[in-house]
Amino acid sequence: MRADADGDRHARLLAAGRTVFAPFMDDPEVAGFWWPGYLRIAAWLAGWEEARAADTMRSSVEISGALALTLGDASAFRLTGRADRIDLMRDGRLAVIDYKTGMPPGVAEVVTGRSPQLTLEAAMIAGGAFKDVPAGEVAELIYLRLSGRGAGGEERAIQPKDQTLQALCEAHLAKLIETLTRYRDPAEGYLSRRMPRKRQEFGDYDHLARVKEWSETAGAADDDGEEGEA
């Protein structure tokens, strides 16, 4: 969000919230749980935006893009995506921001390629996939968790330890092309879980693959040391 020169982010968020919540405030659950949570979100988000305002030139929100790829067998593939938000910074670099109400992926989950949403969006930006967003270096990948709990929100920035963010995004795009190329081969099998994890998780087709019959990972601890979905 962007405030006008004489505007106040927090006040505008409160005004918008009152308008949306007004028809439901007779419900005790809304008045006692959801509205207080929104108040915490509004306060935290306004402060977060204020801290970034000086370095941000323009934000593009809910923007769709497409990137043409050539696979290993020379066939064409069109990678599409819709970004929650892309910020153009004053130094010419860009930031990809994704909003979550639940637990966002952990840093390890993103870096290892289990959750490549933001890295692939960054690769799309580098390829000029989004209209009115200049092709350029992505300096930040950020998840904003707006839960209404505690302070109201939290930022989770994705920064790999052993390589640059640009190198990570390029590697994930290359891995996507490799995977798509492999699945062009009719002889390639579709594994139920190509990247299994130690902790319990569920897939849409586990019942067809009879995962409960062959899996030995149910109830085990998470393998990347982070909570929730991380």
Side-chain angles (χ1 to χ4, degrees), residues 9 19 30 54 59 76 113-114 125 131 135 145 168 191 211 226:
R9 293 173 176 82
T19 299
V30 174
S59 295
R114 293 193 183 99
I125 291 171
K131 183 180 179 181
R145 186 189 183 200
L168 176 68
L191 299 182
V211 170
E226 303 202 31

Side-chain angles (χ1 to χ4, degrees), residues 12-188:
R12 294 199 298 149
L13 281 170
L14 291 180
R18 290 190 184 99
T19 299
V20 173
F21 275 83
F24 311 102
M25 291 300 282
D26 289 339
D27 186 329
E29 182 179 356
V30 174
F33 179 77
W34 293 108
W35 175 244
Y38 178 80
L39 293 179
R40 289 189 285 270
I41 290 173
W44 183 87
L45 184 58
W48 185 86
E49 292 282 2
E50 182 65 31
R52 292 181 61 87
D55 296 325
T56 305
M57 182 181 301
R58 184 178 75 244
S59 295
S60 301
V61 298
E62 293 294 329
I63 180 171
S64 297
L67 181 66
L69 303 177
T70 301
L71 305 186
D73 61 355
S75 61
F77 183 87
R78 187 168 179 261
L79 176 63
T80 64
R82 186 172 181 84
D84 281 359
R85 171 172 163 181
I86 302 172
D87 283 359
L88 175 62
M89 314 306 289
R90 295 194 184 279
D91 63 3
R93 299 185 300 171
L94 299 111
V96 180
I97 300 169
D98 194 74
Y99 299 95
K100 298 293 185 186
T101 54
M103 185 67 70
V107 175
E109 188 171 4
V110 175
V111 171
T112 57
R114 293 193 183 99
S115 294
Q117 174 191 355
L118 297 193
T119 52
L120 290 180
E121 285 182 11
M124 291 174 67
I125 291 171
F130 294 94
K131 183 180 179 181
D132 299 327
V133 174
E137 177 188 354
V138 173
E140 294 180 294
L141 300 180
I142 297 174
Y143 284 108
L144 289 188
R145 186 189 183 200
L146 305 178
S147 66
R149 300 176 182 177
E154 62 178 302
E155 173 188 308
R156 177 171 290 178
I158 306 300
Q159 285 291 346
K161 296 180 180 179
D162 302 324
Q163 59 184 318
T164 66
L165 196 58
Q166 182 176 355
L168 176 68
C169 298
E170 290 173 353
H172 282 189
L173 182 63
K175 186 64 177 179
L176 173 66
I177 294 173
E178 175 191 326
T179 301
L180 292 171
T181 299
R182 188 169 62 245
Y183 280 120
R184 291 278 295 171
D185 181 357
E188 174 68 23

Side-chain angles (χ1 to χ4, degrees), residues 182-183 188-197 201-217:
R182 188 169 62 245
Y183 280 120
E188 174 68 23
Y190 285 73
L191 299 182
S192 177
R193 295 185 177 184
R194 184 171 289 277
M195 297 178 66
R197 304 181 59 178
E201 58 186 4
F202 303 97
D204 292 338
Y205 306 103
D206 283 359
H207 60 299
L208 298 177
R210 297 186 176 182
V211 170
K212 289 184 178 180
E213 295 183 21
W214 54 258
S215 176
E216 297 180 355
T217 62

